[in-house]
Amino acid sequence: MYDGKEQPGRNDECWCGSGKKYKKCHLAIDERLQSLYEQGFEVPERGLLKTAADIEGIKKSAAINIGVLDYVAEHIGPGVTTGEVDRWVHDYTVEHGGIPADLGYEGFPNSVCTSVNEVVCHGIPSDDHVLVEGDIVNVDCSTILDGYYSDSSRMFCIGDVSPERQRLVDETKKALEAGLAAVRPWGLLGDVGAAVNAYAQSCGFTVVREFGGHGIGLDFHEDPFVSHVAEAGTGMVLAPGLVFTIEPMVNAGEQPIDMSDPNGWTVRTADGSDTAQWEVQLAVTEDGYELLSW
């Protein structure tokens, strides 16, 4: 088979654990993936394809993640510290039975990333960092519930922001939406990144290359890597059951980034220009996609 694993017999139980016979479950998908593999396409391993039960588990995790960001939206504003945002995220997640996936991940010290103005990603919350009128901030949180992972982020405008910052925030969201519009079952992942990049460039912005989206669901970061500057007609086949994030980081200025912060995490634009990011998590379906976290 395309992933080097044994293929069940037609009347055997399906490899996915659904309890159904293979012929009534994943046989047709596997045959199509095998054909594409033989044609030279990059196809996902079976372990990356989430079952209906997996999707339901991810959606329950995502309900907490969405609730966290809704809570932040209701309470964030001038005078709030990013440390307070971190505590909101931690407390809400735990009170609803989840675990903040960021906390302790590869040594990350907090429950959420708060990336303000020129910070591209992985901003570390602090009680010393007070949000002020005119700031833009990305709040990126991830949740574990019963072993299932969800992940999404939103931009927040603090009070009245400049027209330039508002445009960056709004157009970055539209760039993400352009990527979503390119998600088609049995299409190619590169089409998604190409659509994101084309839209951002049409606005006069640049897209970060070094960071991208990722597969997620049974682990925090799974294959595939989702480049937001990919070429159309390239990349992994978008088979039904594949779950991943789209999360473009869009710079108002030049593309290069600065990863020299001594904390080992915080990434900034190299030229000090503003940057914005939105993130959603989705599952590829037989007829399109389903948003799981936003």
Side-chain angles (χ1 to χ4, degrees):
M1 287 295 289
Y2 55 89
D3 59 0
K5 298 178 181 178
E6 186 177 351
Q7 182 178 13
R10 291 176 55 85
N11 291 312
D12 291 342
E13 184 176 330
C14 187
W15 55 261
C16 74
S18 66
K20 299 178 182 178
K21 291 184 177 181
Y22 183 48
K23 65 184 179 183
K24 294 184 177 293
C25 197
H26 273 89
L27 175 60
I29 288 177
D30 280 352
E31 288 180 338
R32 188 163 183 178
L33 286 172
Q34 181 66 27
S35 175
L36 289 167
Y37 173 76
E38 292 171 357
Q39 295 173 56
F41 288 94
E42 179 187 356
V43 300
E45 295 182 0
R46 276 178 276 184
L48 295 179
L49 303 182
K50 307 303 186 287
T51 66
D54 291 333
I55 298 297
E56 287 307 308
I58 294 169
K59 288 165 76 170
K60 290 176 182 178
S61 174
I64 298 174
N65 215 66
I66 295 165
V68 167
L69 291 171
D70 287 345
Y71 184 92
V72 172
E74 292 171 1
H75 295 86
I76 201 167
V80 168
T81 69
T82 56
E84 288 179 90
V85 175
D86 179 64
R87 287 188 288 277
W88 295 344
V89 170
H90 178 275
D91 292 349
Y92 185 102
T93 302
V94 172
E95 288 168 5
H96 288 79
I99 300 169
D102 287 355
L103 186 59
Y105 178 75
E106 295 187 352
F108 190 79
N110 293 85
S111 298
V112 68
C113 296
T114 51
S115 302
V116 184
N117 298 336
E118 80 285 358
V119 175
V120 174
C121 60
H122 304 160
I124 296 179
S126 169
D127 286 332
D128 295 329
H129 193 152
V130 180
L131 297 171
V132 299
E133 188 95 7
D135 281 341
I136 55 174
V137 55
N138 177 266
V139 177
D140 186 350
C141 63
S142 307
T143 301
I144 311 168
L145 180 69
D146 298 329
Y148 291 105
Y149 288 74
S150 55
D151 191 7
S152 54
S153 79
R154 299 181 199 170
M155 291 298 298
F156 297 101
C157 295
I158 306 303
D160 292 327
V161 303
S162 68
E164 293 80 11
R165 284 183 167 172
Q166 186 68 61
R167 177 173 179 267
L168 175 63
V169 168
D170 293 344
E171 298 295 358
T172 298
K173 188 174 185 180
K174 291 178 183 177
L176 182 152
E177 291 167 348
L180 274 174
V183 175
R184 296 180 178 85
W186 304 107
L188 295 175
L189 186 58
D191 295 344
V192 175
V196 169
N197 195 35
Y199 187 88
Q201 287 189 333
S202 75
C203 298
F205 301 141
T206 60
V207 180
V208 171
R209 295 178 176 273
E210 293 85 349
F211 296 92
H214 51 91
I216 182 173
L218 305 182
D219 203 351
F220 198 169
H221 293 91
E222 304 171 351
D223 288 335
F225 174 74
V226 182
S227 170
H228 300 113
V229 294
E231 294 184 11
T234 67
M236 184 178 285
V237 171
L238 298 177
L242 193 64
V243 175
F244 59 92
T245 67
I246 304 175
E247 47 181 303
M249 303 166 196
V250 177
N251 299 341
E254 298 300 318
Q255 192 174 72
I257 58 175
D258 177 3
M259 301 176 66
S260 65
D261 194 296
N263 67 30
W265 284 100
T266 303
V267 180
R268 295 177 173 82
T269 55
D271 60 6
S273 62
D274 291 326
T275 185
Q277 178 191 21
W278 295 83
E279 177 183 10
V280 297
Q281 179 181 8
L282 63 101
V284 181
T285 64
E286 292 283 359
D287 56 1
Y289 65 85
E290 180 180 9
L291 278 180
L292 304 179
S293 190
W294 57 86

